């Protein structure tokens, strides 16, 4: 088993073929260090205020959300053409996609390895068909990801048999350089590694789902209307300001985008 890498010149079709076969792909050096450093700088005050988690989700792990309200750089990064185009293509069997989670994840030194899991578990034990993808996670490396500092560990190919417990299988660290990104299926078994280094491992996670599922992070609350009204329409639709065959309207079949600006 090995981690699949593609250069940042890869096409959406090339990346999609790798993800469908292996359940994941790393696109190397997709964002510049300057962009990554600016994102970290914008979010650092909020990261410092974020509490550490509890076992099993990281007693030395800090998760900082509400990126659409807090970070202009994140608003651009979440719409990167190759990354977003890949996710849209992977979930093209649905009416559309939506942004479900925005987490900046900081693994401090001493953070223990996270138990292996599937991101589909965020929706309880609902029996999604094994061949129906409902979500993809996108993790940008804000520092180099190494085995030593807790690079995400995955079981390549486990998306093909998601209902089998792969927690005892051998995992592979998704090592990648700062500015690279890994996209993987919500069915694949994975978990954060243990950080035995002397510095933090930083990551930016964007989770996308088919747009008929409830968002894990409520974007309408996480990003207040006053801020939402300043954002571009394509981003607002990605955040959920869009109807699906009449579902998601703002009352009386009112378009949610129209309702957002109604009293502005």
């Amino acid at each position: 088993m090995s981690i699949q890498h593609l250069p940042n010149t890869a096409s959406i079709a090339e990346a999609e073929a790798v993800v469908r076969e292996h359940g994941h792909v790393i696109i190397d050096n997709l964002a510049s260090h300057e962009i990554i450093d600016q994102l970290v700088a914008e979010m650092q005050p909020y990261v410092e205020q974020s509490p550490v988690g509890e076992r099993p989700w990281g007693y030395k792990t800090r998760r900082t959300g509400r990126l659409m309200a807090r970070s202009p750089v994140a608003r651009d990064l979440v719409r990167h053409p190759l990354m977003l185009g890949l996710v849209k293509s992977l979930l093209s069997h649905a009416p559309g996609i939506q942004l479900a989670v925005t987490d900046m994840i900081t693994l401090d030194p001493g953070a223990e390895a996270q138990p292996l899991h599937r991101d589909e578990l965020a929706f309880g034990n609902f029996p999604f068909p094994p061949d129906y993808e409902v979500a993809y996670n996108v993790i940008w490396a804000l520092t180099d990801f190494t085995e030593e500092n807790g690079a995400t560990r995955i079981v390549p190919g486990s998306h093909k048999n998601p209902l089998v417990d792969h927690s005892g299988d051998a995992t592979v660290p998704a090592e990648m350089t700062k500015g690279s990104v890994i996209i993987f299926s919500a069915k694949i078994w994975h978990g954060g590694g243990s950080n035995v280094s002397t510095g933090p491992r930083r990551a930016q996670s964007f989770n996308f789902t088919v747009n008929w599922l409830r968002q894990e992070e409520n974007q309408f609350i996480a990003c207040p209307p006053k801020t939402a009204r300043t954002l571009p329409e394509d981003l607002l639709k990605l955040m959920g300001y869009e109807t699906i065959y009449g579902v998601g309207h703002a009352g009386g079949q009112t378009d949610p985008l129209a309702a957002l600006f109604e009293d502005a």
Side-chain angles (χ1 to χ4, degrees), residues 41-63:
E42 288 176 351
M43 289 300 298
Q44 189 57 32
Y46 304 106
V47 171
E48 291 174 355
Q49 296 170 12
S50 299
V52 295
E54 298 178 356
R55 290 185 178 89
W57 303 112
Y59 81 103
K60 286 194 175 181
T61 300
R62 285 172 286 168
R63 294 176 180 270

Side-chain angles (χ1 to χ4, degrees), residues 68 75-76 78-79 84 88 97-99 220 227-243 255-261:
M68 295 303 96
R75 296 170 197 154
D76 291 333
V78 79
R79 295 179 292 158
L84 187 58
K88 285 183 175 180
I97 71 167
Q98 65 184 351
L99 178 62
F220 310 107
T227 302
R229 293 186 189 106
T230 69
L231 305 183
E233 183 175 312
D234 64 326
L235 178 56
L236 289 172
K237 288 182 176 180
L238 191 62
M239 291 165 61
Y241 287 91
E242 188 173 33
T243 57
D255 181 271
L257 272 177
L260 176 65
F261 293 95

